[in-house]
């Protein structure tokens, strides 16, 4: 899973990355982004020591898990919330069917989570216990959900039983502790 892994870069506190993006209209936006961590395709994982040490057993956040899930997601060259899945995953007959089965579970969970975050932020609804950052894109929901899967499995299973089954099939094929296979 980590064939392209070259190391971990640890900053004492959040790193500031200069970003330059061009929108659909061709307007270029430049801004600074403060990062707790970042996984780079065919490169290192960057972590902020302040954020790593601030992660607690009480919160379902974990920047280390988050960034290493991004590395798994990048294994097929796309950051798309779907790691490379073998034919037969989830009882499917092909890699394409496995991918469709993955998203058949992940997308509805993401949509429901996004709605929870919108209700909490815009209408004063109950805040989510998962990091609302996961609502920014499905590519962020996957690692945010994995953080909770690994740090608060029981509660995660109560709230997201379909994701628990999906992640168990991926991270625990053949039983507890087996780990992902590639």
């Amino acid at each position: 899973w980590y064939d392209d892994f070259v190391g971990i870069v640890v900053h004492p506190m959040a790193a500031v990355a200069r970003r330059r993006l061009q929108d659909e209209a061709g307007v270029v936006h430049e801004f600074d982004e403060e990062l707790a961590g970042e996984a780079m395709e065919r490169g290192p994982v960057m972590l902020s020591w302040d954020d790593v040490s601030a992660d607690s057993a009480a919160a379902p956040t974990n920047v280390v898990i988050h960034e290493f899930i991004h590395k798994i997601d990048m294994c097929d060259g796309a950051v798309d919330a779907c790691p490379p899945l073998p034919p037969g995953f989830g009882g499917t007959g092909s890699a394409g069917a496995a991918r469709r089965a993955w998203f058949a579970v992940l997308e509805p969970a993401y949509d429901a989570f996004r709605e929870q975050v919108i209700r909490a932020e815009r209408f004063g609804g109950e805040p989510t216990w998962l990091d609302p950052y996961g609502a920014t894109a499905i590519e962020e929901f996957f690692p945010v959900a994995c953080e909770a899967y690994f740090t608060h499995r029981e509660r995660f299973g109560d709230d997201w039983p379909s994701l628990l089954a999906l992640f168990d099939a991926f991270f625990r094929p053949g039983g507890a502790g087996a780990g992902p296979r590639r």
Side-chain angles (χ1 to χ4, degrees), residues 102-124:
W102 179 271
F103 281 114
V105 174
L106 191 69
E107 283 179 340
Y110 168 68
D111 291 341
F113 178 68
R114 194 168 171 275
E115 286 299 314
Q116 287 178 317
V117 170
I118 289 169
R119 280 193 307 274
E121 291 178 352
R122 292 186 187 163
F123 307 112

Side-chain angles (χ1 to χ4, degrees), residues 41-87:
E41 192 171 352
R42 291 186 285 284
V45 168
M46 185 283 296
L47 299 168
S48 154
W49 184 251
D50 279 353
D51 290 284
V52 170
S53 62
D55 288 339
S56 72
T61 59
N62 186 297
V63 68
V64 176
I65 291 170
H66 186 104
E67 298 308 332
F68 278 88
I69 293 299
H70 275 309
K71 290 296 277 186
I72 289 173
D73 187 16
M74 292 175 183
C75 284
D76 60 1
V79 181
D80 60 2
C82 184
L85 300 169

